[in-house]
Amino acid sequence: MSILYDLLRQPAQVLACIASPKQGKVGAFTVADLKIWDISIIRDFETDKAGNNKLVGLKVIGQAGVWTKYFLNKSKYHYHTGIITKKTVQKLFSIGKQNAGAARMLVWLTFQIQPEFQDFVMGKTLMEIAYGADKVSTAEQDRQLRRQMADDLETDLKVVKETGWQAELETGPAWLTSSTSAKRPIGYWNQILNSRWRFHLPAEVQERLTVDSNQLSANNIQPVSGNVIREARKAKGWSRAFFATTMGKSVSWVDAVETGTRQVSQKDVPKLLNTLELHLNRY
């Protein structure tokens, strides 16, 4: 867990240096030594029978650094969240160069496939995620590369399924999901690119979402510490005033909650957890 903690902090050490000249109505600006990524890691502890605290989980909140204020408007911008399972983490650590495409697909799926909205993914998009748009474009004129990428896709999809993801072929030829190693038909490359896939969350994630939903509806939710609330707010880049408005509270309420002089009421905890994307039991 300590090794994972150190790895997760590494992106926060990379700094940005951006110089932009005047462009039309947009003035010139320069930013230097600002973090490319703002990473906040909240540790989850459990107390054993002897009364000792044991680190059992990490919640990572990451977003683009302060430099993005020069490129984004002041509204609350769109973001994706996802639950990454222990099995997925183990698979990512064990994947070699031969399965780099599977690693890219796993990370993409984790943050793009949402339980309430499961859109389909085109085969071409899946190939570009796994191997890059340039390589997919080059393969149009390279027969050997097309064969290699088709083989890689078949192997990488199997790796993805080993972590619990289910890939359902919505539109496309049956041979794409056949377990037999039959010879691919003429025109197989276009069939791959034009296929449509639908991915389903791993069972562990579905169970976790159900647990979180039940916890949020419970009446005996444990209070969240002020330090955790402050960390989560800062990780999102929110001011106290913006957070107060989002919660429908005053700035003095935020101050009192974050300093620990006031606890969040039971009725406000579910909204707080959803707003800051905090989970009661993380893994």
Side-chain angles (χ1 to χ4, degrees), residues 33-187:
D33 296 336
L34 292 178
K35 294 179 181 178
I36 290 184
W37 296 102
D38 281 334
I39 305 293
S40 177
I41 305 174
I42 302 172
R43 305 187 186 197
D44 191 15
F45 293 92
E46 282 186 358
T47 304
D48 60 22
K49 295 180 180 179
N52 300 314
N53 285 334
K54 180 182 179 182
L55 181 63
V56 295
L58 301 169
K59 177 178 175 63
V60 183
I61 302 174
Q63 68 176 33
V66 177
W67 58 272
T68 53
K69 69 181 181 182
Y70 296 98
F71 303 96
L72 301 173
N73 57 35
K74 294 183 179 180
S75 64
K76 180 181 177 183
Y77 53 89
H78 184 68
Y79 56 87
H80 284 291
T81 61
I83 295 176
I84 186 166
T85 64
K86 180 179 179 181
K87 188 182 292 185
T88 299
V89 172
Q90 291 172 333
K91 180 62 70 175
L92 287 172
F93 273 100
S94 66
I95 284 176
K97 291 183 179 179
Q98 69 274 18
N99 294 127
R104 297 188 189 102
M105 282 192 279
L106 282 171
V107 174
W108 186 87
L109 289 169
T110 296
F111 293 100
Q112 290 295 326
I113 304 300
Q114 302 296 313
E116 67 278 3
F117 181 74
Q118 294 192 20
D119 201 0
F120 63 83
V121 181
M122 293 298 299
K124 183 179 180 180
T125 300
L126 198 62
M127 296 285 279
E128 290 177 344
I129 291 166
Y131 314 114
D134 289 344
K135 194 171 182 179
V136 173
S137 178
T138 301
E140 296 284 352
Q141 308 301 324
D142 190 327
R143 179 182 299 178
Q144 184 60 37
L145 182 58
R146 289 198 297 271
R147 291 175 179 171
Q148 176 193 325
M149 292 177 67
D151 290 341
D152 289 344
L153 179 65
E154 182 180 348
T155 301
D156 290 336
L157 281 174
K158 289 180 180 178
V159 174
V160 170
K161 291 177 182 179
E162 287 172 2
T163 66
W165 285 91
Q166 295 299 316
E168 175 187 345
L169 181 64
E170 186 175 83
T171 304
W175 66 264
L176 279 170
T177 55
S178 175
S179 58
T180 60
S181 55
K183 184 178 179 180
R184 297 189 184 98
I186 296 175

Side-chain angles (χ1 to χ4, degrees), residues 6-24:
D6 291 336
L7 287 172
L8 292 169
R9 291 183 64 250
Q10 288 182 11
Q13 313 307 314
V14 183
L15 303 179
C17 182
I18 303 170
S20 176
K22 184 178 185 337
Q23 300 182 23

